């Protein structure tokens, strides 16, 4: 190799290294982001899908084993319009990616034309051209490369969004399912309570006629009975709303869904002091936020590449009868070849403004990504806390309900047989029992919702 050739090679290598250092060619890498939180995330990415036993990696059929619920989830995933639109977003992103990949190929155009001319009554002279034009941009400074990479991560972002929508639908159906079951339980409880309290009114009336109670005891017992009957309307309204919410998820007109009142969702307690980062990395909204950061990164790289020249090669060829200044029949073939290098010198600050805006947008995307990670950790922590506390609360409420049932039996016996208690103590015991039974039902629902939220917050829904 001659000294001149070696010098050119070293200069070219130095230019490439300089451009790479400017970030024009570098691929997005979370481990190089200036954020310790994002670096921890990048480290955990390799293990995000490795633990098949992690709650978020379980298929939804392994978590929601109730056959009625499983059938509803299947139907929702098949018919829900939000999920259909999310899948269409993937199709659009894929089409844009296809366009970005095809931009490396030359453009080809065929534009035949013809014209006729006559002067001072002379014979019409016809000219024609059948040209084929080929243009090709040589991607020396990464403009096409960054567009292609941006389209690739945009497709990944659309897929993550589709998974997030899918997870929301599964969680939404499960939540509606257990909400309806809980309301059905409350409705059955109130109806049974109304029946018992109505019988209590009759007992109070009989005791009043026997001279053992005053009229106020009958009136108080009637008021308690009426309050239960009034509460039934609130539960029935809530049931209508819950059924309508389920219908929307199913993409159907309002329907009353047949859901058993005793439906329950259980999961072993999770004893953990902290939330592993790899579980957060499996969340689709976290992945989507990272892909948005990658899109912003490539937008900044593209803005930098705008400061460098564009290299274009153009070729024209075809058949014509217009050669120079005269017409020739028959025509002949022609070929033209040209290259151009366009370097921006002064664009009225447009490139500088674009780069500054891209840097600011990239910082915004980083801020949003960090917040998404922290928000994901908070969501999981909240769900775990609610689940654990609801499990403990269920045990205490079960014992409380048993105690109040005994209290109701004892006060009724004391009132009926020896009169050593008052009707107010009977009413208090009945109300306490109803309150404890209602709390038991709502706590069961809270525990089920905590499991659903925890599964969703850990990226479940595959």
């Amino acid at each position: 190799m001659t000294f001149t050739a070696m010098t050119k090679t070293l200069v070219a290598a130095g230019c490439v290294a300089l451009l790479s250092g400017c970030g024009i060619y570098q691929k997005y890498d979370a481990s190089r982001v200036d954020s310790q939180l994002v670096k921890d995330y990048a480290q955990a990415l390799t293990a995000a899908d490795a633990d098949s036993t992690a709650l978020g990696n379980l298929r939804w059929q392994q978590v929601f084993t109730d056959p009625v619920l499983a059938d509803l989830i299947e139907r929702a995933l098949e018919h829900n319009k939000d999920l259909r639109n999310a899948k269409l977003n993937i199709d659009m992103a894929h089409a844009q990616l296809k366009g970005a990949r095809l931009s490396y190929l030359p453009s080809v155009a065929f534009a035949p034309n013809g014209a006729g001319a006559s002067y001072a009554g002379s014979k019409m002279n016809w000219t024609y051209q059948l040209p084929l034009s080929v243009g090709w941009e040589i991607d020396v400074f990464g403009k096409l490369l960054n567009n292609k990479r941006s389209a690739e991560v945009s497709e990944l972002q659309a897929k993550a969004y589709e998974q997030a929508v899918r997870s929301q639908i599964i969680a939404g159906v499960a939540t509606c399912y257990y909400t309806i079951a809980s309301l059905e339980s409350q409705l059955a409880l109130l109806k049974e309570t109304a029946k018992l309290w109505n019988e209590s009114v009759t007992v109070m009336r009989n005791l009043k006629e026997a001279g053992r109670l005053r009229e106020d005891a009958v009136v108080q017992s009637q008021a308690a009975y009426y309050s239960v009957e009034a509460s039934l309307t609130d539960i029935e309204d809530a049931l209508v709303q819950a059924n309508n919410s389920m219908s929307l998820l199913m993409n159907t007109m309002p329907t009353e869904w047949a859901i058993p009142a005793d439906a329950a969702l259980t999961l072993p307690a999770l004893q953990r002091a902290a939330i592993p980062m790899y579980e957060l990395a499996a969340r689709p909204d976290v992945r989507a936020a990272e892909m948005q950061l990658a899109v912003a990164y490539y937008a900044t790289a593209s803005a930098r590449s705008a400061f460098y020249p564009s290299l274009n090669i153009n070729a024209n060829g075809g058949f014509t009868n217009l050669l120079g200044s005269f017409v020739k029949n028959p025509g002949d073939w022609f070929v033209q070849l040209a290259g151009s290098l366009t370097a921006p010198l002064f664009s009225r600050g447009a490139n500088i403004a674009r780069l500054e805006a891209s840097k600011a947008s990239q910082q915004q995307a980083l801020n949003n990504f960090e917040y998404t990670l922290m928000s994901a950790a908070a969501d999981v922590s909240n769900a775990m806390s609610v689940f654990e506390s609801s499990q403990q609360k269920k045990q205490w409420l079960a014992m409380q309900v048993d105690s109040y049932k005994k209290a109701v039996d004892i006060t009724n016996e004391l009132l009926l047989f020896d009169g050593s208690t008052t009707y107010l103590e009977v009413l208090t015991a009945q109300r306490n029992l109803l309150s404890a039974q209602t709390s038991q039902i709502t706590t069961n629902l809270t525990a089920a919702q905590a499991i659903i939220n925890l599964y969703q917050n850990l990226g479940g829904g595959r």
Side-chain angles (χ1 to χ4, degrees), residues 3 9 46 323:
F3 178 78
T9 302
T46 54
L323 300 174

Short mmCIF file of all heavy atoms in Angstrom, two decimals, residues 3 9 46 323:
data_model
loop_
_atom_site.label_atom_id
_atom_site.label_comp_id
_atom_site.label_asym_id
_atom_site.label_seq_id
_atom_site.Cartn_x
_atom_site.Cartn_y
_atom_site.Cartn_z
N PHE A 3 2.01 5.32 0.43
CA PHE A 3 1.80 6.25 1.55
C PHE A 3 0.52 7.04 1.38
O PHE A 3 -0.21 7.27 2.34
CB PHE A 3 3.02 7.19 1.63
CG PHE A 3 2.89 8.22 2.72
CD1 PHE A 3 3.12 7.87 4.04
CD2 PHE A 3 2.50 9.54 2.42
CE1 PHE A 3 2.99 8.81 5.05
CE2 PHE A 3 2.36 10.46 3.42
CZ PHE A 3 2.62 10.11 4.74
N THR A 9 -6.81 6.03 3.78
CA THR A 9 -7.50 5.03 4.59
C THR A 9 -7.61 5.48 6.04
O THR A 9 -8.66 5.34 6.68
CB THR A 9 -6.74 3.69 4.52
OG1 THR A 9 -6.66 3.27 3.16
CG2 THR A 9 -7.46 2.62 5.34
N THR A 46 -32.32 -9.22 30.56
CA THR A 46 -31.97 -10.59 30.13
C THR A 46 -32.72 -11.63 30.95
O THR A 46 -32.94 -12.74 30.49
CB THR A 46 -30.47 -10.82 30.27
OG1 THR A 46 -30.06 -10.50 31.61
CG2 THR A 46 -29.70 -9.92 29.30
N LEU A 323 -32.31 14.06 -30.90
CA LEU A 323 -30.89 13.97 -30.57
C LEU A 323 -30.24 15.31 -30.87
O LEU A 323 -30.11 15.72 -32.04
CB LEU A 323 -30.21 12.87 -31.38
CG LEU A 323 -30.79 11.45 -31.16
CD1 LEU A 323 -30.13 10.47 -32.12
CD2 LEU A 323 -30.57 11.02 -29.73
#
